[in-house]
Amino acid sequence: MAISRIGFVVLYLTVVFASFIAFSSTVALGQCRGDFQGLVRQCSRFVQKTGPKSNPSSECCNVVKNVDFQCVCQHVTGEVEQIISMEKAVYVAASCGRPLVHGTKCGSYTVPMKEEIDQVII
């Protein structure tokens, strides 16, 4: 019981922290198309640095389908990369039918070829 509460608190704090980072970059991200609050709310558990790689939910994919990742990637900061696994974020985008082009820079991360994305073990 205590472990599940701790897990919930960690997830909640991650969402709050990610929301804070997203809001601090609002001016830059305001240029990008998409629901960033929805992205944090629906997809944060799938892109956290901790935990295994897992397939995103349909709710997450519904938000992902309307996000301009090419634009968002230009605004990924080091602070964002401290809490979000860019490998998982690229995997989630691809799993939702929005793969990023091989060689795209997303923060300091370079998107590998599709075969490498599928083989990433986190």
Side-chain angles (χ1 to χ4, degrees):
M1 183 76 161
I3 292 175
S4 64
R5 284 187 179 163
I6 291 171
F8 176 77
V9 169
V10 169
L11 176 62
Y12 177 77
L13 291 175
T14 301
V15 169
V16 169
F17 187 62
S19 297
F20 175 75
I21 290 171
F23 287 126
S24 69
S25 301
T26 300
V27 173
L29 289 177
Q31 303 167 26
C32 303
R33 179 180 52 86
D35 175 9
F36 301 104
Q37 288 179 320
L39 192 63
V40 170
R41 193 172 46 255
Q42 297 298 334
C43 301
S44 63
R45 68 177 180 230
F46 303 107
V47 297
Q48 293 177 33
K49 281 199 176 253
T50 59
K53 179 173 71 171
S54 62
N55 291 326
S57 66
S58 59
E59 294 84 7
C60 174
C61 285
N62 288 338
V63 176
V64 165
K65 290 176 182 177
N66 295 307
V67 173
D68 180 356
F69 284 105
Q70 298 296 331
C71 182
V72 171
C73 281
Q74 295 173 13
H75 302 290
V76 172
T77 64
E79 291 84 11
V80 170
E81 290 187 74
Q82 288 178 0
I83 59 168
I84 293 175
S85 164
M86 296 312 296
E87 293 90 354
K88 288 181 183 178
V90 168
Y91 175 78
V92 165
S95 295
C96 292
R98 296 287 314 276
L100 280 80
V101 177
H102 165 68
T104 299
K105 290 287 282 181
C106 204
S108 66
Y109 181 77
T110 302
V111 177
M113 291 190 291
K114 181 186 179 334
E115 296 78 25
E116 294 173 18
I117 293 170
D118 292 339
Q119 294 174 1
V120 171
I121 298 175
I122 301 173

